[in-house]
Amino acid sequence: MNSPPISAVVPVYKKDNPIHFAKSLESITKSQTHPPSEVIVVADGPLTPELNKVLDRRDDIIMVRLERNRGAGAARAMGVKNATHDFVAFQDSDDISVPERFERQIEFFREQPEIDALGGYIAEFEADPDEPHAVRKVPTQPSKIARWGKIRSPLNQTTVMAKRESILSAGNYQADDRMEDYSLWGRMLAKDMQLANVPSVLAKVRAGETEMSTRRGGLKYAREEIRLQREFYRIGFVSAPIALLNVTVRVPIRIVPDTVRSFLYQRLLRD
């Protein structure tokens, strides 16, 4: 049976590390047991000469450039618009997909064609991808994801493969300041779309013990938590009590000291 073609979308930003970016691209263009039919790299604004050199050495990608930095949400949305296949996979510019990632996901879609978006676990590492210090697991069953999604993001963004038509039907990624991925999952779930996760690690994520939690703190993130819950309430995804509870629990986590947030992430949100 012929496998359906895949469009892979990778946003890149001027502050990204060119060495990490090159390895990330290699993990989806050279290492996959089921390679994508097209790889769309979206430059989120002007890039450094070093990043452009990485791209200049590649003749197997489709390049899309935004004139100015608009954020990951806008970059992914542009990638979806330029994709020509029914299945679109996403990867962040410094992450590494395991070789069997796309093959596992396509097989999952074949067995469960009702699924609209599919992710998996991520393994977090500091220097060596083969020596992770934590694994972020997420629910696998659509029914549990529908419940989990009301209080936490149910998919790991860098592992997601989704039906292009479903993404567009839910409004595509939007140029939100932060948490643009969670915003999309919420809109998809509000439309009763089916989300699932493969119960295994699909990507290795470059994140130090405190680096990821540090990036996700501050007043901007706190304000985005409030904005997102208002939006989820407006579209009927969460009730007023759930939205209030989420704000009460999540906003303080964004504004506590980085060391406290790191402790909470490692003890409560990782294995």
Side-chain angles (χ1 to χ4, degrees), residues 221-252:
Y221 254 111
R223 287 195 291 267
E224 182 62 11
E225 290 280 11
I226 297 171
R227 186 206 66 78
L228 189 61
Q229 293 303 316
R230 285 175 174 169
E231 178 65 12
F232 283 171
Y233 172 69
R234 185 188 68 79
I235 64 176
F237 179 49
V238 299
S239 63
I242 292 297
L244 180 59
L245 176 63
N246 287 339
V247 168
T248 302
V249 172
R250 296 171 68 92
V251 168

Short mmCIF file of all heavy atoms in Angstrom, two decimals, residues 221-252:
data_model
loop_
_atom_site.label_atom_id
_atom_site.label_comp_id
_atom_site.label_asym_id
_atom_site.label_seq_id
_atom_site.Cartn_x
_atom_site.Cartn_y
_atom_site.Cartn_z
N TYR A 221 4.10 35.90 29.57
CA TYR A 221 3.45 34.59 29.58
C TYR A 221 2.22 34.60 30.47
O TYR A 221 1.20 33.97 30.17
CB TYR A 221 4.43 33.52 30.06
CG TYR A 221 4.93 32.62 28.96
CD1 TYR A 221 6.25 32.67 28.53
CD2 TYR A 221 4.07 31.72 28.34
CE1 TYR A 221 6.70 31.84 27.51
CE2 TYR A 221 4.51 30.89 27.33
CZ TYR A 221 5.83 30.95 26.91
OH TYR A 221 6.27 30.13 25.91
N ALA A 222 2.30 35.31 31.59
CA ALA A 222 1.15 35.40 32.49
C ALA A 222 -0.04 36.06 31.79
O ALA A 222 -1.17 35.60 31.89
CB ALA A 222 1.53 36.17 33.75
N ARG A 223 0.24 37.15 31.07
CA ARG A 223 -0.83 37.83 30.34
C ARG A 223 -1.41 36.94 29.25
O ARG A 223 -2.61 36.95 29.00
CB ARG A 223 -0.31 39.14 29.75
CG ARG A 223 -0.08 40.25 30.76
CD ARG A 223 0.09 41.59 30.08
NE ARG A 223 1.34 41.65 29.34
CZ ARG A 223 2.48 42.11 29.81
NH1 ARG A 223 2.54 42.55 31.06
NH2 ARG A 223 3.57 42.15 29.08
N GLU A 224 -0.54 36.16 28.60
CA GLU A 224 -1.02 35.26 27.55
C GLU A 224 -1.90 34.16 28.13
O GLU A 224 -2.86 33.73 27.48
CB GLU A 224 0.16 34.66 26.80
CG GLU A 224 -0.22 33.75 25.64
CD GLU A 224 -1.01 34.44 24.54
OE1 GLU A 224 -1.09 35.70 24.55
OE2 GLU A 224 -1.55 33.73 23.67
N GLU A 225 -1.59 33.70 29.32
CA GLU A 225 -2.45 32.70 29.98
C GLU A 225 -3.86 33.25 30.14
O GLU A 225 -4.85 32.56 29.85
CB GLU A 225 -1.88 32.34 31.36
CG GLU A 225 -0.59 31.54 31.34
CD GLU A 225 -0.82 30.07 31.07
OE1 GLU A 225 -1.94 29.68 30.69
OE2 GLU A 225 0.15 29.30 31.23
N ILE A 226 -3.97 34.48 30.59
CA ILE A 226 -5.28 35.10 30.78
C ILE A 226 -5.99 35.27 29.45
O ILE A 226 -7.19 34.96 29.31
CB ILE A 226 -5.11 36.46 31.49
CG1 ILE A 226 -4.53 36.25 32.90
CG2 ILE A 226 -6.45 37.19 31.58
CD1 ILE A 226 -4.14 37.53 33.61
N ARG A 227 -5.27 35.76 28.43
CA ARG A 227 -5.88 35.96 27.11
C ARG A 227 -6.38 34.64 26.54
O ARG A 227 -7.48 34.56 25.99
CB ARG A 227 -4.86 36.57 26.14
CG ARG A 227 -5.47 36.94 24.78
CD ARG A 227 -4.44 36.94 23.69
NE ARG A 227 -3.92 35.60 23.42
CZ ARG A 227 -4.58 34.68 22.72
NH1 ARG A 227 -5.79 34.93 22.23
NH2 ARG A 227 -4.05 33.48 22.52
N LEU A 228 -5.57 33.58 26.68
CA LEU A 228 -5.94 32.30 26.11
C LEU A 228 -7.18 31.72 26.79
O LEU A 228 -8.07 31.18 26.12
CB LEU A 228 -4.78 31.32 26.22
CG LEU A 228 -4.92 30.00 25.48
CD1 LEU A 228 -5.07 30.23 23.98
CD2 LEU A 228 -3.73 29.09 25.77
N GLN A 229 -7.27 31.83 28.10
CA GLN A 229 -8.44 31.31 28.80
C GLN A 229 -9.69 32.10 28.42
O GLN A 229 -10.78 31.52 28.30
CB GLN A 229 -8.21 31.34 30.31
CG GLN A 229 -7.14 30.37 30.79
CD GLN A 229 -7.44 28.94 30.38
OE1 GLN A 229 -8.57 28.47 30.49
NE2 GLN A 229 -6.42 28.22 29.92
N ARG A 230 -9.56 33.39 28.22
CA ARG A 230 -10.70 34.18 27.75
C ARG A 230 -11.16 33.69 26.38
O ARG A 230 -12.36 33.57 26.11
CB ARG A 230 -10.33 35.66 27.68
CG ARG A 230 -10.25 36.37 29.03
CD ARG A 230 -9.76 37.79 28.83
NE ARG A 230 -9.81 38.54 30.08
CZ ARG A 230 -9.25 39.75 30.25
NH1 ARG A 230 -8.62 40.31 29.23
NH2 ARG A 230 -9.33 40.36 31.41
N GLU A 231 -10.19 33.39 25.51
CA GLU A 231 -10.52 32.91 24.17
C GLU A 231 -11.16 31.54 24.24
O GLU A 231 -12.16 31.27 23.54
CB GLU A 231 -9.25 32.86 23.32
CG GLU A 231 -9.45 32.32 21.91
CD GLU A 231 -10.34 33.19 21.03
OE1 GLU A 231 -10.63 34.35 21.43
OE2 GLU A 231 -10.76 32.73 19.97
N PHE A 232 -10.64 30.65 25.06
CA PHE A 232 -11.22 29.32 25.20
C PHE A 232 -12.66 29.40 25.73
O PHE A 232 -13.53 28.64 25.31
CB PHE A 232 -10.37 28.46 26.13
CG PHE A 232 -9.12 27.91 25.49
CD1 PHE A 232 -8.16 27.27 26.27
CD2 PHE A 232 -8.89 28.03 24.14
CE1 PHE A 232 -7.01 26.75 25.69
CE2 PHE A 232 -7.73 27.53 23.54
CZ PHE A 232 -6.79 26.88 24.33
N TYR A 233 -12.90 30.32 26.65
CA TYR A 233 -14.26 30.51 27.17
C TYR A 233 -15.18 31.07 26.08
O TYR A 233 -16.32 30.62 25.91
CB TYR A 233 -14.25 31.45 28.37
CG TYR A 233 -15.63 31.85 28.85
CD1 TYR A 233 -16.47 30.92 29.46
CD2 TYR A 233 -16.10 33.14 28.65
CE1 TYR A 233 -17.75 31.27 29.87
CE2 TYR A 233 -17.37 33.50 29.06
CZ TYR A 233 -18.20 32.57 29.68
OH TYR A 233 -19.46 32.93 30.09
N ARG A 234 -14.65 32.01 25.28
CA ARG A 234 -15.46 32.64 24.24
C ARG A 234 -15.93 31.62 23.21
O ARG A 234 -17.08 31.69 22.74
CB ARG A 234 -14.66 33.75 23.55
CG ARG A 234 -15.46 34.54 22.52
CD ARG A 234 -14.59 35.49 21.74
NE ARG A 234 -13.67 34.77 20.86
CZ ARG A 234 -14.01 34.26 19.69
NH1 ARG A 234 -15.26 34.36 19.24
NH2 ARG A 234 -13.12 33.64 18.95
N ILE A 235 -15.08 30.67 22.84
CA ILE A 235 -15.45 29.69 21.81
C ILE A 235 -16.16 28.48 22.41
O ILE A 235 -16.51 27.54 21.69
CB ILE A 235 -14.22 29.24 21.00
CG1 ILE A 235 -13.22 28.48 21.89
CG2 ILE A 235 -13.56 30.43 20.32
CD1 ILE A 235 -12.03 27.93 21.11
N GLY A 236 -16.35 28.47 23.72
CA GLY A 236 -17.08 27.39 24.36
C GLY A 236 -16.27 26.16 24.67
O GLY A 236 -16.82 25.09 24.97
N PHE A 237 -14.93 26.28 24.61
CA PHE A 237 -14.09 25.13 24.90
C PHE A 237 -14.02 24.84 26.40
O PHE A 237 -13.97 23.67 26.81
CB PHE A 237 -12.68 25.36 24.33
CG PHE A 237 -11.72 24.24 24.61
CD1 PHE A 237 -12.06 22.92 24.35
CD2 PHE A 237 -10.45 24.50 25.11
CE1 PHE A 237 -11.17 21.89 24.60
CE2 PHE A 237 -9.56 23.48 25.36
CZ PHE A 237 -9.92 22.17 25.11
N VAL A 238 -13.99 25.89 27.22
CA VAL A 238 -14.00 25.70 28.68
C VAL A 238 -15.12 26.53 29.28
O VAL A 238 -15.56 27.53 28.71
CB VAL A 238 -12.65 26.10 29.32
CG1 VAL A 238 -11.50 25.26 28.78
CG2 VAL A 238 -12.36 27.59 29.12
N SER A 239 -15.58 26.10 30.45
CA SER A 239 -16.59 26.86 31.19
C SER A 239 -15.92 27.99 31.95
O SER A 239 -14.69 28.02 32.10
CB SER A 239 -17.32 25.94 32.17
OG SER A 239 -16.39 25.44 33.15
N ALA A 240 -16.72 28.91 32.46
CA ALA A 240 -16.19 30.02 33.24
C ALA A 240 -15.43 29.52 34.48
O ALA A 240 -14.33 30.01 34.78
CB ALA A 240 -17.30 30.98 33.62
N PRO A 241 -15.97 28.54 35.24
CA PRO A 241 -15.22 28.05 36.41
C PRO A 241 -13.87 27.42 36.03
O PRO A 241 -12.87 27.63 36.74
CB PRO A 241 -16.16 27.01 37.02
CG PRO A 241 -17.53 27.45 36.60
CD PRO A 241 -17.34 27.98 35.22
N ILE A 242 -13.83 26.67 34.92
CA ILE A 242 -12.57 26.05 34.50
C ILE A 242 -11.57 27.13 34.07
O ILE A 242 -10.38 27.07 34.40
CB ILE A 242 -12.79 25.05 33.36
CG1 ILE A 242 -13.58 23.84 33.86
CG2 ILE A 242 -11.46 24.61 32.77
CD1 ILE A 242 -12.86 23.04 34.93
N ALA A 243 -12.04 28.13 33.33
CA ALA A 243 -11.16 29.21 32.90
C ALA A 243 -10.59 29.94 34.11
O ALA A 243 -9.38 30.25 34.16
CB ALA A 243 -11.92 30.19 32.01
N LEU A 244 -11.42 30.21 35.10
CA LEU A 244 -10.97 30.90 36.31
C LEU A 244 -9.97 30.03 37.07
O LEU A 244 -8.94 30.54 37.56
CB LEU A 244 -12.16 31.24 37.20
CG LEU A 244 -11.84 31.97 38.52
CD1 LEU A 244 -11.13 33.28 38.23
CD2 LEU A 244 -13.12 32.20 39.32
N LEU A 245 -10.26 28.75 37.17
CA LEU A 245 -9.34 27.84 37.86
C LEU A 245 -7.99 27.80 37.14
O LEU A 245 -6.92 27.84 37.79
CB LEU A 245 -9.94 26.43 37.91
CG LEU A 245 -9.04 25.34 38.52
CD1 LEU A 245 -8.74 25.65 39.97
CD2 LEU A 245 -9.71 23.97 38.39
N ASN A 246 -8.00 27.72 35.82
CA ASN A 246 -6.76 27.68 35.06
C ASN A 246 -5.92 28.94 35.28
O ASN A 246 -4.70 28.87 35.46
CB ASN A 246 -7.05 27.52 33.57
CG ASN A 246 -7.52 26.12 33.22
OD1 ASN A 246 -7.27 25.17 33.96
ND2 ASN A 246 -8.21 25.99 32.09
N VAL A 247 -6.57 30.09 35.27
CA VAL A 247 -5.85 31.34 35.50
C VAL A 247 -5.27 31.37 36.91
O VAL A 247 -4.12 31.75 37.13
CB VAL A 247 -6.78 32.56 35.28
CG1 VAL A 247 -6.14 33.84 35.80
CG2 VAL A 247 -7.13 32.70 33.80
N THR A 248 -6.07 30.92 37.88
CA THR A 248 -5.63 30.93 39.28
C THR A 248 -4.41 30.03 39.49
O THR A 248 -3.50 30.37 40.26
CB THR A 248 -6.77 30.48 40.20
OG1 THR A 248 -7.90 31.34 40.01
CG2 THR A 248 -6.35 30.51 41.65
N VAL A 249 -4.39 28.90 38.79
CA VAL A 249 -3.28 27.94 38.97
C VAL A 249 -2.09 28.28 38.09
O VAL A 249 -0.94 28.23 38.54
CB VAL A 249 -3.77 26.51 38.66
CG1 VAL A 249 -2.59 25.53 38.65
CG2 VAL A 249 -4.81 26.07 39.68
N ARG A 250 -2.33 28.66 36.84
CA ARG A 250 -1.25 28.79 35.87
C ARG A 250 -0.52 30.12 35.93
O ARG A 250 0.70 30.16 35.72
CB ARG A 250 -1.81 28.55 34.46
CG ARG A 250 -2.36 27.14 34.25
CD ARG A 250 -3.10 27.03 32.94
NE ARG A 250 -2.20 27.15 31.81
CZ ARG A 250 -1.61 26.11 31.22
NH1 ARG A 250 -1.83 24.88 31.65
NH2 ARG A 250 -0.81 26.29 30.19
N VAL A 251 -1.22 31.21 36.20
CA VAL A 251 -0.56 32.51 36.21
C VAL A 251 0.53 32.60 37.28
O VAL A 251 1.64 33.07 37.00
CB VAL A 251 -1.60 33.64 36.37
CG1 VAL A 251 -0.91 34.97 36.69
CG2 VAL A 251 -2.41 33.79 35.08
N PRO A 252 0.28 32.16 38.52
CA PRO A 252 1.37 32.23 39.51
C PRO A 252 2.61 31.44 39.10
O PRO A 252 3.74 31.86 39.41
CB PRO A 252 0.72 31.63 40.77
CG PRO A 252 -0.73 31.89 40.61
CD PRO A 252 -0.99 31.73 39.14
#
